[in-house]
Amino acid sequence: MIFYDCSTAPNPRRARMFIAEKGLEIECHDISIAKGEQLGAAFKAINPNATVPVLITDDGTTLTENLGIAAYLEAAHPNPPLMGGTAEEKGLVLMWNAIAEQQGGMPIAEVLRNSNPFFEDRAIPGPVDYAQVPELAARGLDRTVRFFDLLEQRLQTSRYLATAEFTLADISAFVFVEFARVIKTRIPEGNTATLAWHAGIKSRPSAQV
């Protein structure tokens, strides 16, 4: 397998943590978004959508989305399980992973990409240049605050986000919570359950990769 990473971006970090939790050692190539390497001809020959992460499987299949990468690795390397065991658990993991992406990752990205001068005319990842929309940044900030409230409500009654065990959903939410620093947003001091959850994941070896 070959893994195309970016050390500074949240989505590759999600895949990187999943790989580390599985205890796998995979050939890795870092693609610098800061240098625009994802837009170069060499990388677009691998992924025409010009996004990372990318995993090339043992049989040469190209997987370009986190969920696809996770599903492949879970099937190929089922232990430790990170996507649930029972039918209910599998549904909960995918549900909470989607919530983390749509209600956490997306609004944080909206703020960053529609307010930071570095992303001028690059408001959406991929091969097409899109202009920034400042109104989306304001909306994204509000949505991010609501995401932190949602996490706290859930974690007040559950040690982990989706099930009683650490899963893909925790990886996604953790990475987005950490990445929120780029829009100057942190876990509120009063969100004690979220702070404890974050500290527990932060202590895992996979959080250091």
Side-chain angles (χ1 to χ4, degrees), residues 130-176:
Y130 287 100
Q132 292 177 324
V133 181
E135 292 81 2
L136 291 179
R139 185 182 74 180
L141 278 172
D142 181 73
R143 293 184 65 207
T144 302
V145 170
R146 293 175 184 273
F147 175 63
F148 278 90
D149 290 342
L150 183 154
L151 286 180
E152 180 64 14
Q153 182 179 20
R154 171 60 175 172
L155 293 168
Q156 285 282 355
T157 59
S158 179
R159 180 184 178 190
Y160 292 112
L161 199 54
T163 73
E165 304 296 332
F166 177 82
T167 69
L168 169 67
D170 295 290
I171 291 175
S172 294
F174 171 80
V175 169
F176 293 138

Side-chain angles (χ1 to χ4, degrees), residues 41-115:
F43 183 72
K44 287 175 74 175
I46 297 164
N47 179 16
N49 289 326
T51 58
V52 283
V54 175
L55 180 73
I56 310 298
T57 70
D58 286 331
D59 70 357
T61 299
T62 300
L63 301 173
T64 64
E65 300 294 333
N66 263 290
L67 193 55
I69 292 170
Y72 168 78
L73 292 176
E74 183 83 348
H77 305 276
N79 292 309
L82 295 174
M83 297 182 72
T86 67
E88 288 78 9
E89 288 175 348
K90 290 178 185 295
L92 284 167
V93 171
L94 293 185
M95 181 185 81
W96 279 103
N97 189 72
I99 290 171
E101 289 181 337
Q102 296 166 14
Q103 300 185 41
M106 186 177 294
I108 293 167
E110 282 186 341
V111 178
L112 177 64
R113 286 189 167 267
N114 288 285
S115 63

Side-chain angles (χ1 to χ4, degrees), residues 26 55 65 87 99 104 116 120 123-124 131-132 134 152 157 162 178 183 186 203:
I26 300 176
L55 180 73
E65 300 294 333
I99 290 171
N116 192 308
E120 185 176 4
I124 297 177
Q132 292 177 324
E152 180 64 14
T157 59
E178 293 239 305
I183 60 169
R186 304 282 185 176
S203 69

